Amino acid sequence: MQNSQLSSDVLPQHIAIIMDGNGRWAKAQGKPRVFGHKNGVAAVRKTISTAAKLGIKAVTLFAFSSENWRRPEEEVGVLMELFITVLSTEVKKLHKNNLRLRIIGDKSRFSERLQAKIAHAEALTANNTGLVVNIAANYGGKWDITQAARDIAVKVARGEISPTDIDEALITEHLTMADIPEVDLLIRTSGECRISNFMLWQLAYAEMYFTPVYWPEFGEDSLIEAVTWFVNRERRFGCTGEQVKALMES
């Protein structure tokens, strides 16, 4: 690349992250899995802060998949409590920084207390215009598509639309996150190379970046590295991490 200046329009607009490796990171240090989850919160903070500085439009974090209910009851309970605590403390910071928080997924399985916390957090930040932070909790890609199909079927049954009206655009409209760009960059930590039923529809054209780093160790430099890789993949020119970092100061 001739010019040392990098334009922000080469960056991914929507980054999705499968935050993996909390338990293994904790185990490697002789600590319980819960210790890993708690340390994973710091990585979430760093990631959101870095993405906001870069001017990314949306970040979606896979916090709790619909398959996670199969984990030991004690761990699920701790994860839910952690979720409530983090929601309470972090949402004020997000709001202060003009960030918008949304929880996507089937919230019906959560306790009434957690559902109330989610509703409050979403309402508080609903009118903010900065980075959209989507937390996928009790979410599955197949669930998302199934819900869309069900909603469309109801409209057909009511005679509001005809089966011939159903196209990709209509299905997209009925999915969660229909109002933000589809995912440009998927990041998965801890060396696993699977999508794990994450946003199956929204990942159709995403670049996929797999890193061996465990989620609690994922920081600003880790995200810069992933974004630099993305720019080089998409644009086929040699951009450096320093050039991406320079956008954070602009």
Side-chain angles (χ1 to χ4, degrees):
M1 210 190 150
Q2 302 299 314
N3 190 351
S4 63
Q5 286 295 103
L6 198 63
S7 163
S8 59
D9 63 9
V10 302
L11 299 182
Q13 291 188 68
H14 185 177
I15 299 175
I17 306 178
I18 300 175
M19 308 179 290
D20 202 6
N22 287 341
R24 275 167 289 162
W25 178 81
K27 192 178 173 187
Q29 300 186 54
K31 305 271 189 180
R33 289 176 62 86
V34 175
F35 179 74
H37 295 312
K38 286 179 177 166
N39 277 271
V41 174
V44 170
R45 272 193 212 109
K46 288 173 200 162
T47 299
I48 291 171
S49 167
T50 307
K53 285 181 202 164
L54 282 170
I56 307 292
K57 290 196 170 64
V59 170
T60 302
L61 303 168
F62 205 7
F64 190 86
S65 76
S66 37
E67 285 83 10
N68 284 153
W69 292 104
R70 298 178 197 148
R71 290 186 178 190
E73 196 174 324
E74 186 186 358
E75 186 179 351
V76 171
V78 169
L79 274 170
M80 292 298 110
E81 280 304 312
L82 182 61
F83 199 18
I84 289 174
T85 308
V86 170
L87 264 180
S88 305
T89 57
E90 300 299 313
V91 71
K92 290 171 190 147
K93 293 176 199 164
L94 295 176
H95 184 47
K96 188 179 157 195
N97 289 295
N98 192 34
L99 273 52
R100 187 171 166 203
L101 179 71
R102 294 198 300 197
I103 312 299
I104 58 163
D106 181 2
K107 293 171 253 197
S108 63
R109 279 195 71 175
F110 296 149
S111 67
E112 283 183 23
R113 185 163 68 108
L114 180 49
Q115 287 187 50
K117 286 271 183 199
I118 288 170
H120 171 73
E122 290 184 326
L124 179 67
T125 64
N127 297 320
N128 292 344
T129 56
L131 171 74
V132 179
V133 180
N134 299 301
I135 306 289
N138 194 24
Y139 174 89
K142 290 182 178 179
W143 167 85
D144 200 355
I145 296 166
T146 303
Q147 290 297 307
R150 197 172 287 156
D151 291 346
I152 291 167
V154 167
K155 289 182 178 177
V156 170
R158 286 180 186 153
E160 292 170 22
I161 55 173
S162 155
T164 54
D165 295 329
I166 301 170
D167 57 12
E168 287 183 17
L170 187 76
I171 293 170
T172 300
E173 275 173 38
H174 287 79
L175 293 167
T176 56
M177 300 174 292
D179 57 332
I180 55 177
E182 288 196 348
V183 179
D184 299 306
L185 172 62
L186 169 74
I187 299 169
R188 182 166 188 158
T189 55
S190 90
E192 299 293 343
C193 299
R194 296 186 301 276
I195 305 177
S196 294
N197 191 24
F198 199 16
M199 299 185 288
L200 302 177
W201 186 279
Q202 297 90 335
L203 288 172
Y205 299 104
E207 294 284 352
M208 298 189 183
Y209 178 86
F210 301 105
T211 172
V213 173
Y214 288 140
W215 178 246
E217 294 172 341
F218 194 90
E220 181 177 291
D221 287 345
S222 310
L223 186 62
I224 296 289
E225 204 174 296
V227 169
T228 305
W229 173 90
F230 170 84
V231 173
N232 289 330
R233 290 276 307 163
E234 283 286 289
R235 303 286 158 163
R236 306 292 187 271
F237 54 58
C239 121
T240 66
E242 282 68 35
Q243 287 173 301
V244 173
K245 271 189 176 170
L247 289 171
M248 294 167 68
E249 278 106 49
S250 59

